[in-house]
Amino acid sequence: MRNIVVLISGSGSNMAAILRAAQQEDWSVTLGARVAGVISNRADAGGLALARQAGVATAVLDHRAFASREAFDEALGRQIAQFDAGAAVPALVILAGFMRILTPGFVAAHAGRLLNIHPSLLPAFPGLHTHQRAIDAGCHIAGATVHEVTAELDHGPILGQAVVPVLPGESADRLAARVLAQEHLLYPRAIKAFLRRPGA
Ligand code: GAR
């Protein structure tokens, strides 16, 4: 069984979409994969309750309790390994609204099995406030990207994208909500395609 460990910081709606797809599509049978654990860097992340309701193990690692980024990422790696104990293949690590920049050491240790969803059509608008920046730039389309994580923030091979038209006069919040609805379809689909790759 291939373990999936999901990292969150907030409401966890992408995580919930992944859990829903895994359950409805019986990923343990169809893909030999299961969500083994959810880790949040914030104790108040709404997604933690959703994960617990779905019967998934959770852990909280408050980044403020660590002296350095390296120390936090080492603890993160240990918690992932704990959720993955006994597995034959190392876990797939899914960043789902995980708002921490990872150290090059962590990224290297999980290279090739670390995915992220970013709320823009990369390579446009890496970083924060993507929807407002797309509106300010006069973009007619916005969207989201699932990509492999590499050492450079919001870069790395693109695995899938969802495109959403920017409606005249709409707010960044409204656009974000419409993009998020597409993220919920995109991310489970991209994870499935990734797990089906030979040697993934
Ligand atoms: C999502 O829109 C995701 O793309 C974004 O945060 C939101 C999390 O929502 N991620 C980033 O901005 C990463 N830099 P969720 O917690 O409800 O899934």
Side-chain angles (χ1 to χ4, degrees):
M1 187 67 64
R2 181 76 185 266
N3 287 319
I4 299 171
V5 178
V6 185
L7 310 191
I8 64 169
S9 298
S11 57
S13 69
N14 276 292
M15 173 216 71
I18 293 163
L19 288 176
R20 209 160 37 240
Q23 192 195 13
Q24 284 173 0
E25 298 164 7
D26 213 352
W27 283 9
S28 59
V29 172
T30 55
L31 289 168
R34 62 165 195 145
V35 179
V38 170
I39 305 173
S40 172
N41 66 309
R42 298 181 54 116
D44 61 355
L48 287 168
L50 296 179
R52 289 183 197 122
Q53 276 160 27
V56 175
T58 60
V60 175
L61 285 177
D62 185 342
H63 59 275
R64 294 167 303 186
F66 295 86
S68 65
R69 250 177 221 288
E70 285 73 19
F72 173 72
D73 280 8
E74 276 163 30
L76 197 56
R78 281 196 297 274
Q79 184 60 61
I80 292 167
Q82 212 166 309
F83 282 138
D84 197 33
V89 214
L92 182 64
V93 180
I94 297 293
L95 309 182
F98 186 64
M99 304 306 276
R100 299 288 308 161
I101 293 174
L102 296 165
T103 55
F106 181 93
V107 173
H110 298 83
R113 49 192 184 82
L114 183 57
L115 308 189
N116 181 43
I117 191 160
H118 180 76
S120 79
L121 293 171
L122 291 174
F125 310 122
L128 298 175
H129 311 301
T130 53
H131 303 298
Q132 190 60 54
R133 286 158 67 205
I135 290 169
D136 291 348
C139 294
H140 289 208
I141 55 167
T145 303
V146 174
H147 64 100
E148 277 189 59
V149 175
T150 55
E152 197 180 346
L153 181 69
D154 297 331
H155 279 68
I158 291 173
L159 300 170
Q161 291 184 305
V163 178
V164 172
V166 179
L167 303 178
E170 82 175 325
S171 67
D173 283 351
R174 177 86 190 108
L175 176 58
R178 292 192 307 109
V179 170
L180 189 61
Q182 294 307 310
E183 293 183 37
H184 298 160
L185 303 175
L186 171 68
Y187 214 174
R189 205 163 57 219
I191 292 168
K192 278 189 288 180
F194 187 81
L195 286 170
R196 289 197 180 111
R197 283 178 168 189

